[in-house]
Amino acid sequence: MVTNMNDNFACFILTYGRPQNINTLRSLKNSGYNGKIFLLCSDDDKKLEEYKQLHENVIVFNKRDMLGTFDKMDNFGNEKCVVYARNKCFDVAKYLGIDYFCMLDDDYTTFSYSEDNNGNYIGNKKIKNINKIFEYMVEFIKNTTVKTVCFAQGGDFI
């Protein structure tokens, strides 16, 4: 049986430089999501004030505070990557008392599925009740030893 996620689940949208065009925000709402959403922004975003003016639940973090806490696995010497926000998401969720969350980039234009209940390919069908999918995901995590669930993106299949 699927449990109600209520205050124990949220979607974090990791976003940078597009406060007026967060596709994922629209896509979640178009897929029926009615839970908590937080926008995670770094303080070096030149459009940070615009985010704060246009949106609720904007959480700001400092990339430099995270230096040395993980290996970025590159030799470019800059901070232009989403891994800072991905790692910070866990700290933010813990601080907010959220045990289960979905971490999303800001450019998802739709949420869809492509197989029926029998595993047959049916083309891309828009998800109309993404809340149920998140509820099943949380239930799966609660009842197994799995700690992380990943959903594939369309580009993953190219």
Side-chain angles (χ1 to χ4, degrees):
M1 172 178 283
V2 177
T3 58
N4 186 351
M5 295 183 301
N6 55 39
D7 293 331
N8 213 15
F9 180 86
C11 285
F12 290 99
I13 300 176
L14 316 180
T15 185
Y16 191 93
R18 60 176 85 194
Q20 295 188 24
N21 189 26
I22 304 173
N23 290 326
T24 305
L25 195 54
R26 283 188 299 277
S27 297
L28 279 170
K29 291 180 182 185
N30 289 339
S31 294
Y33 184 67
N34 60 5
K36 290 188 226 175
I37 299 174
F38 296 94
L39 303 180
L40 193 57
C41 302
S42 61
D43 64 355
D44 66 338
D45 191 326
K46 291 177 177 61
K47 297 189 177 189
L48 184 57
E49 289 309 312
E50 194 173 349
Y51 275 105
K52 292 177 181 178
Q53 290 171 3
L54 294 173
H55 304 286
E56 296 179 24
N57 296 330
V58 174
I59 297 175
V60 181
F61 73 98
N62 183 304
K63 291 178 184 175
R64 288 162 302 289
D65 289 346
M66 300 177 68
L67 293 176
T69 62
F70 62 93
D71 187 346
K72 202 170 68 159
M73 303 295 289
D74 77 8
N75 57 4
F76 298 111
N78 64 48
E79 299 167 1
K80 295 180 181 179
C81 64
V82 72
V83 71
Y84 293 94
R86 292 205 193 292
N87 285 334
K88 189 64 176 180
C89 214
F90 292 88
D91 296 335
V92 171
K94 185 175 182 178
Y95 175 79
L96 294 172
I98 296 169
D99 293 325
Y100 306 97
F101 60 91
C102 187
M103 189 185 311
L104 305 164
D105 292 336
D106 61 4
D107 59 351
Y108 300 154
T109 56
T110 188
F111 293 98
S112 60
Y113 61 98
S114 58
E115 291 184 2
D116 65 14
N117 291 338
N118 297 317
N120 300 312
Y121 179 74
I122 56 172
N124 288 328
K125 303 291 182 187
K126 183 180 172 234
I127 293 173
K128 295 179 183 166
N129 186 358
I130 202 162
N131 292 325
K132 274 285 183 226
I133 295 195
F134 292 147
E135 287 174 13
Y136 284 123
M137 177 189 73
V138 169
E139 194 68 22
F140 177 73
I141 291 170
K142 283 181 176 181
N143 291 301
T144 66
T145 58
V146 169
K147 301 294 181 201
T148 302
V149 173
C150 180
F151 294 103
Q153 303 177 59
D156 294 341
F157 299 108
I158 295 175

